[in-house]
Amino acid sequence: MTESRGNPLSPSEIARHAKVSKALIYKHFGSVEALVDDAILSCLDLLDLDISAESESGADTSKRLPDIAAKLHEKIQSQPELGDLIGWSLGNPDPRARKVAEAVRAFCEDLAARAGGGTEAATFLLGVVANAICQYRDDASEDTPRNIP
């Protein structure tokens, strides 16, 4: 989705990129939408694997949350495809973008709950995600040559 900038993906394009047949995609996932949903959740699961230890340590929530936030920020910036996908979804009215944004929100709520925090902690973690996306985009734009007269 990040390569297509959110444009609809055809089963043929997905199959070609994954180097598999369209039949295999439909057999395993049933639909392109199910494949995209699975890809989003898989990205967040991979992110979660690296952060889980921080969230489930025995320390007080106020001590764990900054560590979790730092790790979350670092991991999003180190995964450009995930950053692009989340960035594309922010404020985008496309139903697929809303699915991504909802998955990220649910991920932050779950992570906050495992760390012993509530709604405020989840909102804080969503802010960390947004900050990581903005910083990643700023860094990328600094690397792009500008034509300024």
Side-chain angles (χ1 to χ4, degrees):
M1 287 186 72
T2 59
E3 288 177 13
S4 69
R5 297 286 182 227
N7 294 322
L9 298 170
S10 74
S12 297
E13 291 172 306
I14 294 169
R16 186 179 69 250
H17 186 74
K19 298 179 181 155
V20 299
S21 70
K22 286 192 302 185
L24 182 63
I25 290 171
Y26 282 108
K27 181 178 180 182
H28 187 76
F29 294 101
S31 69
V32 171
E33 290 78 18
L35 180 144
V36 171
D37 291 347
D38 188 69
I40 293 163
L41 295 175
S42 293
C43 286
L44 293 173
D45 284 346
L46 289 173
L47 187 63
D48 189 42
L49 287 175
D50 291 330
I51 299 172
S52 286
E54 305 283 343
S55 67
E56 294 167 0
S57 73
D60 182 68
T61 302
S62 63
K63 291 183 172 86
R64 278 186 281 171
L65 207 51
D67 292 338
I68 293 167
K71 189 100 172 192
L72 180 62
H73 191 276
E74 173 191 325
K75 289 300 173 185
I76 288 174
Q77 286 201 313
S78 70
Q79 297 180 31
E81 294 84 8
L82 179 60
D84 285 344
L85 182 64
I86 296 171
W88 165 77
S89 74
L90 298 177
N92 189 334
D94 184 290
R96 294 167 300 161
R98 286 186 288 200
K99 277 187 174 183
V100 173
E102 177 59 29
V104 172
R105 183 192 61 74
F107 171 78
C108 288
E109 287 175 350
D110 180 61
L111 190 58
R114 285 186 285 140
T119 305
E120 291 172 351
T123 302
F124 170 70
L125 293 174
L126 277 169
V128 169
V129 170
N131 178 272
I133 301 301
C134 291
Q135 188 174 356
Y136 167 75
R137 287 183 170 178
D138 285 347
D139 291 348
S141 69
E142 288 175 8
D143 293 338
T144 305
R146 297 186 180 125
N147 295 326
I148 301 174

